[in-house]
Amino acid sequence: MAQEDVFKKIVSHSKEYGFVFPSSEIYDGLAAVYDYGQNGVELKNNIKQYWWQSMVLLHENIVGIDSSIFMHPTIWKASGHVDAFNDPLIDNRDSKKRYRADVLIEDQIAKYDEKINKEVAKAAKRFGDSFDEAKYRATSQKLIEDTEKRNALHERYKSAMNANDLDELKQIILDEGIVDPIGGTRNWTDVRQFNLMFSTEMGSTSEGSMKVYLRPETAQGIFVNFLNVQKTGRMKIPFGIAQIGKAFRNEIVARQFIFRMREFEQMEMQFFVRPGTEIEWFKKWKEIRMKWHEALGFGSENYRFHDHEKLAHYANAATDIEFKMPFGFKEVEGIHSRTDFDLSQHEKFSGKSIKYFDPELNESYTPYDIETSIGVDRMFLSVMCGAYTEETLENGETRVVLKLPAQLAPVKLAILPLVKKDGLAEKALDIRNELKFHFNCQYDEKDSIGKRYRRQDAIGTPYCVTVDHQTLEDNTVTLRNRDTMEQIRVAVPELNGLLHDKVSIIGLLKTLQ
Ligand code: ATP
């Protein structure tokens, strides 16, 4: 199946099974804003819990906060967001569609890459075992020309972005003959900068009101609370502050479902270290964070680092963790060595000293910061993409199963009476009432047992318990495994102990140690 079709199926599956709904759907929706349904919210909460506990429970020197969405507007001046949190936008006069100029050019570079890779793959097929890729790349005249063209475009694009040269970005689009992906024409406007922050008014009267922003990242709430936490928590460097919360960006082009939203949620951790040790910590955090992703079991081949070529002026190292979505490897998390930029800026703009006194060195300094920043919604999307599976069974039927890590699954256990009568329903409800204190259970008595299993497969429930006539005699049930579909007979009092380690976040956390 084409990857595009797989993605479409994931989007419709998410809706059909109560994971993600378009916002305000009965009013035809609101672009790039989504709601999480009854299963989505459970999965999302489990992702957040996995992240939070891996930070705050597993690290004695990391604590959490929950700062507000509205903050003093000067914070965004200090952080650089008022002046520089921009994307270059371009409109097509014919289709009236708006695009990000940088994305149009990056897509063009990706097209060259695709062409080059296709040529190499074709040659590999032609030459078979004797194929020497390096030699082919160095000698095929066509490939050399294509690679040169691609690299020249890349260099030109990089310099235009670094110099913030909007005219040059437009010229690249014209020179490359890039057409509107929807309308197909080249009738482009000039490129303009567009600030991504949403703003609103705070205060009751028009004279007394103040322009405030909806935070575009949660990080600044951590920086401005640095001293509060350090002092009241008696924190010693190195230490971290973690936070989960909403962020808002007026994205020019919101595409790919919950990959790019206008309202989304971030899980950010700022780790403060001694100046000079930041690159060592940056490397450590890269390792820790990759391990966190890989522990979910989707296969390490589906993750990669993408080191930034263009560093923000305040960063001295930056990388993304990318996940292989059906539409290619895409950023899920960013890890940035942000130096002392943010704390120093807030010191400058607020006029208050934000220094740390290091008792071991007997000196005060502005700590350096390593940031790990991951989008909850993008993580959610990567989990759905990794889990969505269509299987053909031995009897020729297909089943759709979400192979979610059991610890993240919305429902851990479905409790199903084989039939409603003969006291089986009552027995099943007794079991549910006992186990509901331990994990999220779902009772279902409607339709055939086969249909009920499929419904649970479709929402990723890792285990199903079936209560049958034998249960009434010996207090045992069948326990069905979602992935293998194997069933074993288990005594009811053993269910909790048997499942606890398999479905609890603790099991995942232990693999990180
Ligand atoms: P992109 O280049 O995709 O716009 P970014 O580099 O601007 O992302 P950061 O500012 O580093 O992203 O934000 C950290 C994380 O927040 C990202 O890795 C991503 O998971 C998430 N994120 C950022 N913007 C959005 C968005 N519009 N919708 C959903 N998640 C987002």
Side-chain angles (χ1 to χ4, degrees), residues 32 81 85 87 100 102 196 216-217 247-251 253-254 257-268 308 319-321 330-336 338 371-379:
H81 284 82
F85 193 52
D87 275 340
R100 266 173 64 175
D102 55 333
L196 300 183
E217 61 173 32
F248 304 82
R249 294 182 189 178
N250 197 3
E251 299 281 0
V253 187
F257 192 38
I258 54 172
F259 182 79
R260 190 173 297 288
M261 302 157 88
R262 296 203 166 103
E263 172 179 343
F264 58 101
E265 211 166 351
Q266 289 186 313
M267 308 189 278
E268 297 197 299
H308 288 204
T319 194
D320 296 334
I321 293 179
K330 293 286 165 191
E331 171 184 345
V332 172
E333 171 159 5
I335 302 168
H336 311 119
R338 295 176 72 120
E371 163 181 86
T372 73
S373 172
I374 168 169
V376 180
D377 314 86
R378 269 195 206 174
M379 185 61 205

Side-chain angles (χ1 to χ4, degrees), residues 371-484:
E371 163 181 86
T372 73
S373 172
I374 168 169
V376 180
D377 314 86
R378 269 195 206 174
M379 185 61 205
F380 184 109
L381 184 60
S382 74
V383 168
M384 289 297 277
C385 293
Y388 183 87
T389 316
E390 285 183 17
E391 279 179 356
T392 307
L393 304 177
E394 276 170 15
N395 63 7
E397 276 179 28
T398 52
R399 71 161 182 158
V400 173
V401 49
L402 278 191
K403 294 194 170 175
L404 296 170
Q407 300 88 344
L408 299 186
V411 178
K412 308 300 186 195
L413 184 67
I415 300 169
L416 318 169
L418 191 61
V419 289
K420 268 187 263 183
K421 53 185 196 313
D422 304 335
L424 298 188
E426 289 76 5
K427 177 66 184 170
L429 283 167
D430 282 350
I431 298 174
R432 198 270 315 262
N433 288 340
E434 171 63 30
L435 290 178
K436 72 180 178 191
F437 295 102
H438 304 281
F439 26 74
N440 197 346
C441 301
Q442 200 172 77
Y443 172 82
D444 188 5
E445 58 175 30
K446 204 167 175 294
D447 299 322
S448 73
I449 193 76
K451 270 197 184 155
R452 283 181 272 166
Y453 284 152
R454 292 289 167 276
R455 274 205 289 271
Q456 296 300 331
D457 288 343
I459 63 167
T461 306
Y463 298 98
C464 289
V465 150
T466 305
V467 174
D468 54 22
H469 291 93
Q470 191 183 330
T471 312
L472 302 181
E473 286 162 25
D474 63 5
N475 204 27
T476 64
V477 287
T478 62
L479 182 68
R480 174 188 181 267
N481 179 302
R482 175 195 68 200
D483 298 341
T484 62

Side-chain angles (χ1 to χ4, degrees), residues 97-238:
K97 294 275 175 215
R98 180 159 283 182
Y99 297 94
R100 266 173 64 175
D102 55 333
V103 172
L104 287 176
I105 299 171
E106 278 171 17
D107 286 350
Q108 180 76 358
I109 296 172
K111 273 190 196 150
Y112 279 109
D113 286 336
E114 210 176 298
K115 193 170 161 215
I116 291 166
N117 291 338
K118 258 194 196 152
E119 251 171 72
V120 173
K122 231 166 75 191
K125 214 167 152 194
R126 208 167 55 235
F127 291 109
D129 288 345
S130 62
F131 183 60
D132 179 344
E133 185 178 326
K135 196 171 158 201
Y136 183 73
R137 281 183 186 270
T139 51
S140 157
Q141 202 48 41
K142 188 160 174 347
L143 208 62
I144 293 172
E145 276 168 25
D146 284 345
T147 310
E148 275 170 3
K149 265 195 218 155
R150 183 249 177 235
N151 290 345
L153 170 60
H154 188 233
E155 277 310 310
R156 203 175 156 199
Y157 164 62
K158 217 167 76 182
S159 347
M161 287 297 280
N162 281 334
N164 237 331
D165 187 342
L166 303 182
D167 293 338
E168 172 68 352
L169 284 178
K170 177 170 181 189
Q171 201 51 51
I172 294 175
I173 290 174
L174 296 179
D175 292 349
E176 284 291 320
I178 296 175
V179 297
D180 178 338
I182 294 171
T185 72
R186 296 175 195 176
N187 195 0
W188 296 112
T189 63
D190 285 344
V191 177
R192 283 171 295 146
Q193 288 290 21
F194 177 76
N195 193 287
L196 300 183
M197 280 199 295
F198 284 102
S199 64
T200 185
E201 301 288 317
M202 183 177 269
S204 53
T205 59
S206 54
E207 311 88 69
S209 71
M210 168 166 75
K211 182 176 182 181
V212 289
Y213 298 99
L214 275 75
R215 66 181 176 196
E217 61 173 32
T218 60
Q220 298 305 323
I222 294 179
F223 296 126
V224 297
N225 277 298
F226 170 79
L227 278 186
N228 284 337
V229 175
Q230 191 270 317
K231 293 227 159 90
T232 57
R234 293 182 295 127
M235 307 302 290
K236 287 205 169 62
I237 291 244

